[in-house]
Amino acid sequence: VTTRDESKAVVRSQKLFQRLLAAYPKVHREKYGPEMAQLFRDQSRDAWREARLRGLVMLWLRVLPDLVKTSLLEHLSSLKGKKSMFDRISEILRPRSVPVRVFRGVFLAVFLLVFGGATVITFILPETYASTTRIKLQTDAEAVAGPRRTAASTAYDPYFLQTQFEVIQSEKVLGKVIEQLNLNVVWGRKYQNGQNLKTIETVALLKGRMALRPVRNTSFVEIRVFGEDKDEAAKIANAIAESYRDQRQEQRRAALMSGIKPLEERVDAQEKRVAAAWENLNRLRKEGNVPDPEPAVEELHSRYPAYLAAKQELEAEAKLRTTLEKKVAVEKIDVDLPPSLLVEITDQAVPGLRPVRPNKPLNLVLGVLIGGVLALGLATVAAAITYIVRKKLHRQTAVN
Amino acid sequence: MGPGTLYGTIKRLIEAQLIEESDDRPDPHLDDERRRYYRLTGVGQRVVKAEAQRYAEMVAVARGKKLIGKLASAICGGGCQ
């Protein structure tokens, strides 16, 4: 085999390969055709140099299946746009592609975390019941019967409700409730390992568990008590209302009694004055020998003027005493007013049917809403960061 | 490697931005003007490293399971170290 033979075989081989390049798509052929032909030419020469014709045959046995396979792949790739591994990598690194997977992943993770947390906390929290007693309040002046009401006594007191709220929460009112329901012992057993609580501590606990609310545009007030034990909450609410009612009644009685006492002293003094006037009249009757039965006023006036004057004085003193007695009687009527006129318990508290806290539907809805908003925000941020990082990588690649 | 496989691979690597054509050329007496030179991009280098790491881990797993020893003895027929 000569060099001439070599060049003939190699040249024919190269020509054949160049013709077979037509099997590739035009774009591929235009871009890489010359290089592929060049490579084949080099490989042909090497093969000839190594094993002459046998080398060329062996080369063709390798190249031909490769050519069939890769030309088919290129056609498929250009026709179907089938994505190879490299295409996928390229797509991932392309800065324009939105990182949907990152967004979806972060969104799901954050949403499930928030919603799951809200659900778990909602179901772990102890249940709290509420019981409400409604009372109708009246000022002391309003409670007094209609005809005795005066413009001054019914004057509007803008601080009445606030003052009464403070009275309801006072140790005087709550102390009675604590004593009545034995809360120092009961709550001590619950919250202080069996040691009794001090009243001041129980009052503080009780204040934290109660809420007072005026019913708009009425004289009604709601006393709401919260507790893990629904029966206890209802009992406490009712006991507070009763204790407050008694307190108001007691307070009013004490105030009125303090006003009646000087009046009664005045009645006693007047009684003495009446007695003295009576004695004076009797003395004058005896001294003046006033006949019995008494003569007419005209005769008394002409014959017994001193006696007549004493008689008129006695009548005036007696009249004043009667007036004072009437006044005391009226004041005593006010003292004995039924307590319901001051504080009327219109609705007794009953044990709650279902817990008010935690509000499960609300918590779950909030979990969905907050989780959704938070997840949306964080997922957007994560996707944006991913996009920026990819863009940077892309720029670096372009620079390199 | 056949020319079809080589240039198909080069094409995809360029499209994936893992390699790129380089203008740097060696000394003229070592060069051939028909030659084209390619080099790894930054991303390409990272992908190569990651792939090499993956292979290293696979080898480690295979060693852990004593697969490589068995395979080697099967291939060598007990005649190689």
Side-chain angles (χ1 to χ4, degrees):
Chain A
V1 181
T2 62
T3 313
R4 210 172 166 184
D5 293 328
E6 174 211 331
S7 46
K8 266 187 188 175
V10 170
V11 170
R12 276 179 195 164
S13 194
Q14 286 165 5
K15 280 183 180 172
L16 180 60
F17 184 78
Q18 268 188 327
R19 282 184 187 174
L20 288 173
L21 281 176
Y24 289 94
K26 195 183 172 191
V27 179
H28 188 81
R29 198 170 60 234
E30 282 175 351
K31 197 165 185 185
Y32 298 105
E35 282 88 348
M36 288 167 80
Q38 174 64 40
L39 175 63
F40 184 75
R41 196 157 44 234
D42 292 345
Q43 287 177 330
S44 303
R45 282 178 185 158
D46 292 343
W48 180 263
R49 209 173 296 135
E50 275 175 29
R52 307 290 165 173
L53 202 59
R54 192 171 63 87
L56 269 183
V57 171
M58 292 300 286
L59 176 67
W60 270 107
L61 285 176
R62 275 193 296 120
V63 166
L64 212 54
D66 179 69
L67 190 143
V68 172
K69 184 184 143 194
T70 54
S71 63
L72 276 174
L73 279 173
E74 287 303 329
H75 275 291
L76 282 172
S77 172
S78 60
L79 285 174
K80 294 183 182 174
K82 191 184 168 187
K83 289 174 184 171
S84 64
M85 181 186 77
F86 298 106
D87 294 331
R88 286 194 206 109
I89 293 169
S90 169
E91 192 174 89
I92 289 165
L93 294 172
R94 198 174 300 144
R96 279 189 197 85
S97 66
V98 179
V100 178
R101 274 189 186 177
V102 173
F103 182 88
R104 200 168 47 199
V106 173
F107 182 89
L108 277 175
V110 174
F111 179 78
L112 289 176
L113 200 73
V114 174
F115 180 66
T119 309
V120 168
I121 288 169
T122 300
F123 285 93
I124 280 176
L125 278 176
E127 292 180 331
T128 303
Y129 294 85
S131 289
T132 307
T133 303
R134 276 161 71 100
I135 56 174
K136 190 179 174 211
L137 299 191
Q138 281 200 316
T139 61
D140 289 359
E142 282 169 345
V144 175
R148 296 193 56 237
R149 213 177 277 180
T150 63
S153 69
T154 54
Y156 174 68
D157 177 6
Y159 303 111
F160 175 68
L161 266 187
Q162 284 100 312
T163 310
Q164 295 313 307
F165 278 12
E166 289 307 315
V167 173
I168 293 172
Q169 294 182 85
S170 67
E171 197 178 332
K172 215 166 189 180
V173 171
L174 297 183
K176 279 184 189 167
V177 176
I178 289 163
E179 196 183 323
Q180 187 190 332
L181 298 175
N182 202 19
L183 290 180
N184 283 340
V185 177
V186 175
W187 284 2
R189 219 177 289 149
K190 256 188 199 174
Y191 307 115
Q192 215 177 25
N193 302 321
Q195 282 186 341
N196 289 0
L197 291 170
K198 290 175 189 166
T199 302
I200 196 164
E201 294 169 336
T202 316
V203 166
L205 268 178
L206 192 51
K207 274 186 184 177
R209 288 168 176 226
M210 61 186 280
L212 301 172
R213 194 178 72 90
V215 179
R216 198 181 286 268
N217 300 326
T218 67
S219 51
F220 283 88
V221 168
E222 284 184 353
I223 301 172
R224 207 163 194 219
V225 175
F226 300 91
E228 289 156 28
D229 182 341
K230 50 188 170 185
D231 296 316
E232 187 187 68
K235 276 182 195 167
I236 292 173
N238 288 330
I240 291 172
E242 283 161 17
S243 174
Y244 167 64
R245 183 190 60 193
D246 296 348
Q247 164 67 18
R248 276 287 302 280
Q249 178 70 8
E250 211 173 279
Q251 204 179 0
R252 181 181 159 77
R253 183 186 290 271
L256 287 175
M257 286 308 284
S258 65
I260 288 172
K261 204 178 172 189
L263 211 56
E264 281 177 333
E265 284 169 5
R266 186 81 196 279
V267 170
D268 289 344
Q270 190 61 31
E271 188 68 42
K272 282 174 188 166
R273 286 172 74 100
V274 169
W278 180 253
E279 273 177 26
N280 186 39
L281 189 69
N282 279 339
R283 186 178 53 79
L284 288 173
R285 179 187 282 163
K286 281 176 190 170
E287 286 173 3
N289 294 321
V290 179
D292 192 13
E294 275 178 11
V297 176
E298 291 79 17
E299 195 179 336
L300 286 176
H301 188 260
S302 57
R303 291 184 61 190
Y304 310 103
Y307 177 81
L308 183 62
K311 188 183 177 186
Q312 285 171 341
E313 191 189 339
L314 173 64
E315 281 171 359
E317 294 294 354
K319 200 174 177 183
L320 183 58
R321 182 194 62 189
T322 309
T323 307
L324 286 170
E325 279 174 347
K326 276 184 186 166
K327 176 89 176 158
V328 169
V330 169
E331 292 297 330
K332 280 189 173 172
I333 287 170
D334 280 355
V335 171
D336 294 333
L337 272 178
S340 61
L341 281 180
L342 290 169
V343 178
E344 187 184 354
I345 300 173
T346 54
D347 298 279
Q348 289 273 345
V350 289
L353 291 175
R354 55 182 67 87
V356 289
R357 287 193 294 237
N359 189 337
K360 287 175 188 169
L362 179 71
N363 285 7
L364 295 183
V365 168
L366 282 177
V368 169
L369 287 178
I370 295 171
V373 170
L374 207 64
L376 196 68
L378 288 177
T380 307
V381 170
I385 290 170
T386 310
Y387 178 81
I388 290 163
V389 169
R390 282 182 188 173
K391 202 171 178 182
K392 241 179 187 176
L393 283 172
H394 178 71
R395 275 186 196 153
Q396 276 177 7
T397 309
V399 169
N400 290 335
Chain B
M1 185 185 282
T5 300
L6 178 65
Y7 282 97
T9 306
I10 286 174
K11 178 191 161 193
R12 285 169 182 76
L13 286 170
I14 287 173
E15 284 173 353
Q17 297 168 352
L18 296 175
I19 62 166
E20 61 191 353
E21 210 165 336
S22 171
D23 293 328
D24 297 340
R25 304 192 74 88
D27 290 339
H29 66 277
L30 295 171
D31 196 5
D32 183 332
E33 62 177 13
R34 295 169 303 174
R35 281 185 191 159
R36 283 194 188 184
Y37 292 89
Y38 296 93
R39 66 180 173 200
L40 280 168
T41 62
V43 181
Q45 282 176 359
R46 280 192 280 274
V47 171
V48 164
K49 281 180 189 168
E51 196 66 4
Q53 182 64 33
R54 193 170 69 84
Y55 281 133
E57 284 167 6
M58 279 179 72
V59 169
V61 171
R63 277 193 207 285
K65 294 187 180 293
K66 296 180 179 172
L67 289 170
I68 288 180
K70 284 176 194 171
L71 195 64
S73 62
I75 292 167
C76 300
C80 52
Q81 296 292 317

mmCIF file of all heavy atoms in Angstrom, chain A residues 280-316:
data_model
loop_
_atom_site.group_PDB
_atom_site.id
_atom_site.type_symbol
_atom_site.label_atom_id
_atom_site.label_comp_id
_atom_site.label_asym_id
_atom_site.label_seq_id
_atom_site.Cartn_x
_atom_site.Cartn_y
_atom_site.Cartn_z
ATOM 1 N N ASN A 280 -97.843 74.273 130.793
ATOM 2 C CA ASN A 280 -98.087 75.712 130.954
ATOM 3 C C ASN A 280 -99.579 76.021 130.815
ATOM 4 O O ASN A 280 -100.151 76.787 131.604
ATOM 5 C CB ASN A 280 -97.260 76.478 129.917
ATOM 6 C CG ASN A 280 -97.359 77.989 130.119
ATOM 7 O OD1 ASN A 280 -97.376 78.471 131.260
ATOM 8 N ND2 ASN A 280 -97.443 78.725 129.033
ATOM 9 N N LEU A 281 -100.205 75.365 129.865
ATOM 10 C CA LEU A 281 -101.633 75.572 129.600
ATOM 11 C C LEU A 281 -102.464 75.088 130.797
ATOM 12 O O LEU A 281 -103.405 75.788 131.240
ATOM 13 C CB LEU A 281 -102.036 74.819 128.329
ATOM 14 C CG LEU A 281 -103.440 75.109 127.799
ATOM 15 C CD1 LEU A 281 -103.534 76.548 127.253
ATOM 16 C CD2 LEU A 281 -103.793 74.139 126.673
ATOM 17 N N ASN A 282 -102.094 73.914 131.313
ATOM 18 C CA ASN A 282 -102.815 73.345 132.462
ATOM 19 C C ASN A 282 -102.685 74.254 133.686
ATOM 20 O O ASN A 282 -103.644 74.472 134.441
ATOM 21 C CB ASN A 282 -102.276 71.956 132.808
ATOM 22 C CG ASN A 282 -102.895 70.914 131.886
ATOM 23 O OD1 ASN A 282 -103.956 71.158 131.311
ATOM 24 N ND2 ASN A 282 -102.226 69.785 131.726
ATOM 25 N N ARG A 283 -101.439 74.763 133.864
ATOM 26 C CA ARG A 283 -101.193 75.649 135.008
ATOM 27 C C ARG A 283 -102.063 76.912 134.903
ATOM 28 O O ARG A 283 -102.744 77.319 135.857
ATOM 29 C CB ARG A 283 -99.714 76.030 135.035
ATOM 30 C CG ARG A 283 -99.295 76.833 136.235
ATOM 31 C CD ARG A 283 -97.796 77.126 136.198
ATOM 32 N NE ARG A 283 -97.371 77.743 134.960
ATOM 33 C CZ ARG A 283 -97.526 79.041 134.686
ATOM 34 N NH1 ARG A 283 -98.134 79.841 135.544
ATOM 35 N NH2 ARG A 283 -97.122 79.521 133.533
ATOM 36 N N LEU A 284 -102.112 77.488 133.722
ATOM 37 C CA LEU A 284 -102.905 78.719 133.518
ATOM 38 C C LEU A 284 -104.393 78.436 133.697
ATOM 39 O O LEU A 284 -105.145 79.294 134.202
ATOM 40 C CB LEU A 284 -102.637 79.294 132.125
ATOM 41 C CG LEU A 284 -101.252 79.940 131.930
ATOM 42 C CD1 LEU A 284 -101.033 80.313 130.473
ATOM 43 C CD2 LEU A 284 -101.112 81.186 132.806
ATOM 44 N N ARG A 285 -104.789 77.238 133.300
ATOM 45 C CA ARG A 285 -106.211 76.885 133.450
ATOM 46 C C ARG A 285 -106.575 76.844 134.936
ATOM 47 O O ARG A 285 -107.615 77.382 135.341
ATOM 48 C CB ARG A 285 -106.474 75.522 132.805
ATOM 49 C CG ARG A 285 -107.921 75.075 132.944
ATOM 50 C CD ARG A 285 -108.112 73.666 132.459
ATOM 51 N NE ARG A 285 -108.166 73.625 131.012
ATOM 52 C CZ ARG A 285 -108.012 72.530 130.298
ATOM 53 N NH1 ARG A 285 -107.700 71.396 130.908
ATOM 54 N NH2 ARG A 285 -108.110 72.582 129.007
ATOM 55 N N LYS A 286 -105.689 76.214 135.708
ATOM 56 C CA LYS A 286 -105.964 76.103 137.138
ATOM 57 C C LYS A 286 -105.915 77.479 137.800
ATOM 58 O O LYS A 286 -106.810 77.864 138.590
ATOM 59 C CB LYS A 286 -104.949 75.180 137.802
ATOM 60 C CG LYS A 286 -105.256 73.719 137.572
ATOM 61 C CD LYS A 286 -104.165 72.837 138.172
ATOM 62 C CE LYS A 286 -104.366 71.408 137.733
ATOM 63 N NZ LYS A 286 -103.205 70.601 138.098
ATOM 64 N N GLU A 287 -104.856 78.232 137.508
ATOM 65 C CA GLU A 287 -104.677 79.540 138.140
ATOM 66 C C GLU A 287 -105.800 80.514 137.757
ATOM 67 O O GLU A 287 -106.264 81.298 138.586
ATOM 68 C CB GLU A 287 -103.327 80.142 137.722
ATOM 69 C CG GLU A 287 -102.146 79.486 138.397
ATOM 70 C CD GLU A 287 -100.800 79.967 137.866
ATOM 71 O OE1 GLU A 287 -100.779 80.879 136.995
ATOM 72 O OE2 GLU A 287 -99.756 79.406 138.279
ATOM 73 N N GLY A 288 -106.223 80.429 136.532
ATOM 74 C CA GLY A 288 -107.257 81.379 136.060
ATOM 75 C C GLY A 288 -108.653 80.848 136.211
ATOM 76 O O GLY A 288 -109.602 81.525 135.808
ATOM 77 N N ASN A 289 -108.806 79.658 136.786
ATOM 78 C CA ASN A 289 -110.128 79.022 136.953
ATOM 79 C C ASN A 289 -110.923 79.020 135.645
ATOM 80 O O ASN A 289 -112.085 79.438 135.572
ATOM 81 C CB ASN A 289 -110.935 79.704 138.050
ATOM 82 C CG ASN A 289 -110.277 79.481 139.408
ATOM 83 O OD1 ASN A 289 -109.761 78.386 139.685
ATOM 84 N ND2 ASN A 289 -110.246 80.526 140.225
ATOM 85 N N VAL A 290 -110.267 78.557 134.649
ATOM 86 C CA VAL A 290 -110.933 78.468 133.329
ATOM 87 C C VAL A 290 -111.925 77.311 133.419
ATOM 88 O O VAL A 290 -111.556 76.199 133.804
ATOM 89 C CB VAL A 290 -109.920 78.187 132.195
ATOM 90 C CG1 VAL A 290 -110.638 78.084 130.847
ATOM 91 C CG2 VAL A 290 -108.866 79.284 132.147
ATOM 92 N N PRO A 291 -113.202 77.604 133.100
ATOM 93 C CA PRO A 291 -114.213 76.548 133.229
ATOM 94 C C PRO A 291 -113.976 75.407 132.241
ATOM 95 O O PRO A 291 -113.332 75.588 131.217
ATOM 96 C CB PRO A 291 -115.515 77.283 132.919
ATOM 97 C CG PRO A 291 -115.138 78.503 132.166
ATOM 98 C CD PRO A 291 -113.765 78.877 132.582
ATOM 99 N N ASP A 292 -114.539 74.268 132.657
ATOM 100 C CA ASP A 292 -114.434 73.078 131.792
ATOM 101 C C ASP A 292 -115.857 72.606 131.499
ATOM 102 O O ASP A 292 -116.584 72.282 132.465
ATOM 103 C CB ASP A 292 -113.655 71.993 132.516
ATOM 104 C CG ASP A 292 -113.260 70.857 131.582
ATOM 105 O OD1 ASP A 292 -113.379 71.063 130.347
ATOM 106 O OD2 ASP A 292 -112.825 69.792 132.071
ATOM 107 N N PRO A 293 -116.320 72.512 130.331
ATOM 108 C CA PRO A 293 -115.634 72.782 129.063
ATOM 109 C C PRO A 293 -115.331 74.269 128.844
ATOM 110 O O PRO A 293 -115.985 75.130 129.440
ATOM 111 C CB PRO A 293 -116.620 72.267 128.018
ATOM 112 C CG PRO A 293 -117.971 72.363 128.662
ATOM 113 C CD PRO A 293 -117.778 72.133 130.136
ATOM 114 N N GLU A 294 -114.382 74.448 127.995
ATOM 115 C CA GLU A 294 -113.890 75.804 127.725
ATOM 116 C C GLU A 294 -114.975 76.660 127.086
ATOM 117 O O GLU A 294 -115.741 76.164 126.251
ATOM 118 C CB GLU A 294 -112.719 75.735 126.713
ATOM 119 C CG GLU A 294 -111.404 75.476 127.347
ATOM 120 C CD GLU A 294 -110.297 75.383 126.292
ATOM 121 O OE1 GLU A 294 -110.534 75.722 125.125
ATOM 122 O OE2 GLU A 294 -109.190 74.959 126.670
ATOM 123 N N PRO A 295 -114.989 77.936 127.435
ATOM 124 C CA PRO A 295 -115.924 78.829 126.743
ATOM 125 C C PRO A 295 -115.453 79.109 125.300
ATOM 126 O O PRO A 295 -114.368 78.672 124.922
ATOM 127 C CB PRO A 295 -115.856 80.102 127.597
ATOM 128 C CG PRO A 295 -114.637 80.008 128.427
ATOM 129 C CD PRO A 295 -114.242 78.584 128.516
ATOM 130 N N ALA A 296 -116.288 79.866 124.578
ATOM 131 C CA ALA A 296 -115.943 80.159 123.171
ATOM 132 C C ALA A 296 -114.690 81.053 123.095
ATOM 133 O O ALA A 296 -114.305 81.662 124.095
ATOM 134 C CB ALA A 296 -117.112 80.877 122.506
ATOM 135 N N VAL A 297 -114.103 81.106 121.920
ATOM 136 C CA VAL A 297 -112.845 81.830 121.715
ATOM 137 C C VAL A 297 -112.985 83.309 122.074
ATOM 138 O O VAL A 297 -112.081 83.902 122.689
ATOM 139 C CB VAL A 297 -112.362 81.689 120.249
ATOM 140 C CG1 VAL A 297 -111.101 82.517 120.005
ATOM 141 C CG2 VAL A 297 -112.111 80.242 119.910
ATOM 142 N N GLU A 298 -114.159 83.897 121.732
ATOM 143 C CA GLU A 298 -114.367 85.326 122.006
ATOM 144 C C GLU A 298 -114.286 85.586 123.516
ATOM 145 O O GLU A 298 -113.663 86.558 123.963
ATOM 146 C CB GLU A 298 -115.725 85.802 121.474
ATOM 147 C CG GLU A 298 -115.823 85.838 119.958
ATOM 148 C CD GLU A 298 -116.054 84.449 119.378
ATOM 149 O OE1 GLU A 298 -116.445 83.532 120.128
ATOM 150 O OE2 GLU A 298 -115.752 84.268 118.158
ATOM 151 N N GLU A 299 -114.919 84.684 124.307
ATOM 152 C CA GLU A 299 -114.916 84.836 125.760
ATOM 153 C C GLU A 299 -113.512 84.638 126.321
ATOM 154 O O GLU A 299 -113.062 85.363 127.210
ATOM 155 C CB GLU A 299 -115.868 83.809 126.403
ATOM 156 C CG GLU A 299 -116.171 84.154 127.846
ATOM 157 C CD GLU A 299 -117.124 83.156 128.489
ATOM 158 O OE1 GLU A 299 -117.888 82.482 127.752
ATOM 159 O OE2 GLU A 299 -117.055 83.039 129.725
ATOM 160 N N LEU A 300 -112.794 83.599 125.762
ATOM 161 C CA LEU A 300 -111.413 83.351 126.200
ATOM 162 C C LEU A 300 -110.565 84.583 125.914
ATOM 163 O O LEU A 300 -109.726 84.976 126.725
ATOM 164 C CB LEU A 300 -110.816 82.148 125.467
ATOM 165 C CG LEU A 300 -111.298 80.758 125.887
ATOM 166 C CD1 LEU A 300 -110.673 79.688 124.979
ATOM 167 C CD2 LEU A 300 -110.900 80.456 127.340
ATOM 168 N N HIS A 301 -110.831 85.175 124.766
ATOM 169 C CA HIS A 301 -110.047 86.338 124.347
ATOM 170 C C HIS A 301 -110.258 87.522 125.293
ATOM 171 O O HIS A 301 -109.323 88.236 125.669
ATOM 172 C CB HIS A 301 -110.435 86.722 122.903
ATOM 173 C CG HIS A 301 -109.547 87.770 122.320
ATOM 174 N ND1 HIS A 301 -109.922 89.101 122.269
ATOM 175 C CD2 HIS A 301 -108.282 87.728 121.829
ATOM 176 C CE1 HIS A 301 -108.938 89.812 121.766
ATOM 177 N NE2 HIS A 301 -107.921 88.972 121.480
ATOM 178 N N SER A 302 -111.523 87.688 125.751
ATOM 179 C CA SER A 302 -111.813 88.832 126.609
ATOM 180 C C SER A 302 -111.504 88.542 128.078
ATOM 181 O O SER A 302 -110.944 89.397 128.784
ATOM 182 C CB SER A 302 -113.278 89.250 126.445
ATOM 183 O OG SER A 302 -114.104 88.122 126.746
ATOM 184 N N ARG A 303 -111.813 87.329 128.561
ATOM 185 C CA ARG A 303 -111.659 87.055 129.992
ATOM 186 C C ARG A 303 -110.362 86.305 130.329
ATOM 187 O O ARG A 303 -109.804 86.476 131.409
ATOM 188 C CB ARG A 303 -112.857 86.206 130.471
ATOM 189 C CG ARG A 303 -114.157 86.999 130.449
ATOM 190 C CD ARG A 303 -115.296 86.199 131.000
ATOM 191 N NE ARG A 303 -115.077 85.816 132.373
ATOM 192 C CZ ARG A 303 -115.827 84.953 133.040
ATOM 193 N NH1 ARG A 303 -116.861 84.395 132.385
ATOM 194 N NH2 ARG A 303 -115.571 84.656 134.290
ATOM 195 N N TYR A 304 -109.867 85.413 129.425
ATOM 196 C CA TYR A 304 -108.645 84.624 129.736
ATOM 197 C C TYR A 304 -107.611 84.759 128.617
ATOM 198 O O TYR A 304 -107.284 83.795 127.928
ATOM 199 C CB TYR A 304 -108.994 83.126 129.911
ATOM 200 C CG TYR A 304 -110.156 82.870 130.849
ATOM 201 C CD1 TYR A 304 -111.408 82.546 130.339
ATOM 202 C CD2 TYR A 304 -109.968 82.948 132.238
ATOM 203 C CE1 TYR A 304 -112.465 82.301 131.174
ATOM 204 C CE2 TYR A 304 -111.043 82.701 133.085
ATOM 205 C CZ TYR A 304 -112.283 82.368 132.543
ATOM 206 O OH TYR A 304 -113.332 82.138 133.364
ATOM 207 N N PRO A 305 -107.096 85.969 128.381
ATOM 208 C CA PRO A 305 -106.162 86.146 127.234
ATOM 209 C C PRO A 305 -104.862 85.337 127.379
ATOM 210 O O PRO A 305 -104.350 84.789 126.397
ATOM 211 C CB PRO A 305 -105.857 87.646 127.260
ATOM 212 C CG PRO A 305 -106.225 88.114 128.614
ATOM 213 C CD PRO A 305 -107.289 87.226 129.151
ATOM 214 N N ALA A 306 -104.304 85.229 128.619
ATOM 215 C CA ALA A 306 -103.042 84.459 128.809
ATOM 216 C C ALA A 306 -103.263 82.997 128.475
ATOM 217 O O ALA A 306 -102.400 82.350 127.826
ATOM 218 C CB ALA A 306 -102.549 84.599 130.252
ATOM 219 N N TYR A 307 -104.437 82.482 128.914
ATOM 220 C CA TYR A 307 -104.734 81.071 128.631
ATOM 221 C C TYR A 307 -104.847 80.821 127.129
ATOM 222 O O TYR A 307 -104.305 79.842 126.602
ATOM 223 C CB TYR A 307 -106.036 80.685 129.345
ATOM 224 C CG TYR A 307 -106.465 79.267 129.055
ATOM 225 C CD1 TYR A 307 -105.875 78.188 129.746
ATOM 226 C CD2 TYR A 307 -107.450 78.998 128.097
ATOM 227 C CE1 TYR A 307 -106.259 76.892 129.458
ATOM 228 C CE2 TYR A 307 -107.832 77.704 127.815
ATOM 229 C CZ TYR A 307 -107.240 76.643 128.507
ATOM 230 O OH TYR A 307 -107.619 75.344 128.223
ATOM 231 N N LEU A 308 -105.528 81.727 126.434
ATOM 232 C CA LEU A 308 -105.703 81.582 124.975
ATOM 233 C C LEU A 308 -104.340 81.588 124.248
ATOM 234 O O LEU A 308 -104.093 80.769 123.352
ATOM 235 C CB LEU A 308 -106.585 82.714 124.441
ATOM 236 C CG LEU A 308 -106.900 82.650 122.942
ATOM 237 C CD1 LEU A 308 -107.687 81.371 122.613
ATOM 238 C CD2 LEU A 308 -107.671 83.865 122.467
ATOM 239 N N ALA A 309 -103.455 82.504 124.707
ATOM 240 C CA ALA A 309 -102.113 82.577 124.072
ATOM 241 C C ALA A 309 -101.352 81.274 124.278
ATOM 242 O O ALA A 309 -100.707 80.743 123.356
ATOM 243 C CB ALA A 309 -101.317 83.749 124.661
ATOM 244 N N ALA A 310 -101.454 80.712 125.535
ATOM 245 C CA ALA A 310 -100.760 79.431 125.824
ATOM 246 C C ALA A 310 -101.343 78.304 124.976
ATOM 247 O O ALA A 310 -100.612 77.426 124.486
ATOM 248 C CB ALA A 310 -100.884 79.102 127.312
ATOM 249 N N LYS A 311 -102.654 78.367 124.785
ATOM 250 C CA LYS A 311 -103.300 77.319 123.977
ATOM 251 C C LYS A 311 -102.844 77.367 122.514
ATOM 252 O O LYS A 311 -102.539 76.342 121.905
ATOM 253 C CB LYS A 311 -104.826 77.508 124.054
ATOM 254 C CG LYS A 311 -105.574 76.365 123.418
ATOM 255 C CD LYS A 311 -107.075 76.576 123.427
ATOM 256 C CE LYS A 311 -107.730 75.421 122.699
ATOM 257 N NZ LYS A 311 -109.150 75.633 122.564
ATOM 258 N N GLN A 312 -102.755 78.596 121.984
ATOM 259 C CA GLN A 312 -102.314 78.755 120.587
ATOM 260 C C GLN A 312 -100.855 78.323 120.413
ATOM 261 O O GLN A 312 -100.481 77.715 119.399
ATOM 262 C CB GLN A 312 -102.486 80.221 120.149
ATOM 263 C CG GLN A 312 -103.946 80.571 119.880
ATOM 264 C CD GLN A 312 -104.182 82.046 119.665
ATOM 265 O OE1 GLN A 312 -103.344 82.899 120.041
ATOM 266 N NE2 GLN A 312 -105.346 82.383 119.119
ATOM 267 N N GLU A 313 -100.050 78.581 121.438
ATOM 268 C CA GLU A 313 -98.639 78.146 121.381
ATOM 269 C C GLU A 313 -98.540 76.633 121.363
ATOM 270 O O GLU A 313 -97.768 76.049 120.610
ATOM 271 C CB GLU A 313 -97.884 78.721 122.591
ATOM 272 C CG GLU A 313 -96.380 78.527 122.451
ATOM 273 C CD GLU A 313 -95.628 78.889 123.738
ATOM 274 O OE1 GLU A 313 -96.171 79.639 124.562
ATOM 275 O OE2 GLU A 313 -94.505 78.364 123.891
ATOM 276 N N LEU A 314 -99.389 76.003 122.246
ATOM 277 C CA LEU A 314 -99.387 74.534 122.284
ATOM 278 C C LEU A 314 -99.771 73.949 120.921
ATOM 279 O O LEU A 314 -99.149 73.005 120.427
ATOM 280 C CB LEU A 314 -100.364 74.052 123.365
ATOM 281 C CG LEU A 314 -100.585 72.530 123.395
ATOM 282 C CD1 LEU A 314 -99.292 71.793 123.753
ATOM 283 C CD2 LEU A 314 -101.700 72.157 124.372
ATOM 284 N N GLU A 315 -100.770 74.549 120.305
ATOM 285 C CA GLU A 315 -101.227 74.044 118.995
ATOM 286 C C GLU A 315 -100.111 74.171 117.933
ATOM 287 O O GLU A 315 -99.893 73.254 117.140
ATOM 288 C CB GLU A 315 -102.463 74.830 118.537
ATOM 289 C CG GLU A 315 -103.731 74.364 119.215
ATOM 290 C CD GLU A 315 -104.930 75.276 118.939
ATOM 291 O OE1 GLU A 315 -104.743 76.304 118.224
ATOM 292 O OE2 GLU A 315 -106.019 74.982 119.441
ATOM 293 N N ALA A 316 -99.407 75.302 117.992
ATOM 294 C CA ALA A 316 -98.309 75.517 117.013
ATOM 295 C C ALA A 316 -97.173 74.502 117.222
ATOM 296 O O ALA A 316 -96.651 73.908 116.260
ATOM 297 C CB ALA A 316 -97.773 76.939 117.145
#
